[in-house]
Amino acid sequence: MVDKKTDGLILDVDGTLWDSTPIVARAWQRAVHDSGLPDYSVTPDMLKGLFGKTMTAITREMFPQMEEEKRVRIMELCCAYEHEELLADPCNICYPEVISGIQAMSKEVPIFIVSNCQSGYIELFLEKTELGPYVKDIECFGNTRLSKGENIALVVKRNDLKSPYYVGDTQGDCDAAAEAGVPFVFASYGFGTVSRMDGKIERFSDLWDFLK
């Protein structure tokens, strides 16, 4: 366990702040159907095993035998339908104490978000939760085409952070934090398991312990 006080909490989104998989599965199912794959099934559990990876990696796992150009077209449609569904849905899907926790913790330490998502997804999360004023900086794969580790490092550098933590819920998050040289806090209530961690939370409000 790392015992130094942090000067920045960098947060993952899916599986850490909210669970959008039921809404996204509905959107992606519609997209693959409209793309001429009526028998292909997209489920929330499938997405829980894929979220955290880049959009490119997700489509390659979903459609391994498909030509890259067609995979790209399908994912573009998935993302477009996903955006529509999330905008239309109330999105009361945050984990307990996430909204109040970020609002309160942001008074004590800067809050950041880094995800492997498409461009606009983090902004949509902030819009639906009204957390925009409480998050200092964001970055994602869709903006930079960089790995999550590289994006974490980018946020660390441009905000001159000296002792940040990255909070996530999958092995990919763990590996990305290691790539960026940032201690990793495992959100055990999320989608995955990890091989190592520098800290662990069983609920979002446990992050207060890292601000002491």
Side-chain angles (χ1 to χ4, degrees):
M1 171 74 73
V2 176
D3 58 5
K4 62 184 177 181
K5 183 177 178 180
T6 181
D7 65 348
L9 290 176
I10 309 173
L11 309 174
D12 174 47
V13 180
D14 294 300
T16 301
L17 301 180
W18 73 3
D19 179 5
S20 66
T21 55
I23 300 171
V24 176
R26 183 171 67 239
W28 287 22
Q29 183 67 71
R30 182 161 60 96
V32 296
H33 183 273
D34 289 354
S35 298
L37 300 170
D39 298 325
Y40 192 94
S41 178
V42 181
T43 68
D45 283 343
M46 173 196 292
L47 295 183
K48 287 178 181 178
L50 294 171
F51 276 11
K53 301 175 182 179
T54 65
M55 307 308 291
T56 302
I58 288 173
T59 52
R60 286 175 179 166
E61 288 197 31
M62 289 178 66
F63 312 109
Q65 307 302 322
M66 188 178 292
E67 293 180 358
E68 182 69 17
E69 184 178 346
K70 185 172 183 181
R71 281 199 297 251
V72 170
R73 289 199 304 269
I74 292 177
M75 182 50 64
E76 287 176 349
L77 192 60
C78 284
C79 290
Y81 285 3
E82 172 186 323
H83 196 83
E84 292 175 5
E85 294 276 1
L86 288 169
L87 279 175
D89 196 279
C91 288
N92 298 319
I93 52 177
C94 284
Y95 291 109
E97 302 177 298
V98 163
I99 294 177
S100 61
I102 288 177
Q103 290 171 338
M105 290 178 197
S106 67
K107 298 176 183 178
E108 304 294 329
V109 65
I111 305 292
F112 309 89
I113 294 178
V114 172
S115 171
N116 265 339
C117 61
Q118 69 272 24
S119 299
Y121 185 79
I122 299 175
E123 290 88 344
L124 191 149
F125 166 82
L126 295 174
E127 176 185 343
K128 301 298 288 191
T129 58
E130 299 183 346
L131 286 172
Y134 306 95
V135 176
K136 185 174 181 181
D137 193 8
I138 65 173
E139 199 52 87
C140 71
F141 171 78
N143 289 345
T144 65
R145 315 310 286 186
L146 299 175
S147 71
K148 182 175 283 187
E150 290 171 310
N151 281 327
I152 293 171
L154 189 62
V155 167
V156 168
K157 181 177 181 180
R158 71 187 180 209
N159 291 281
D160 195 29
L161 301 179
K162 305 303 182 185
S163 55
Y165 294 109
Y166 187 69
V167 186
D169 66 300
T170 67
Q171 185 62 47
D173 293 331
C174 176
D175 295 341
E179 180 185 353
V182 171
F184 174 67
V185 178
F186 175 49
S188 62
Y189 53 81
F191 295 163
T193 59
V194 298
S195 60
R196 56 162 296 278
M197 66 190 79
D198 299 294
K200 177 181 176 181
I201 57 173
E202 296 182 354
R203 54 188 180 275
F204 189 79
S205 60
D206 288 345
L207 281 175
W208 279 108
D209 293 339
F210 295 87
L211 275 59
K212 297 177 181 178

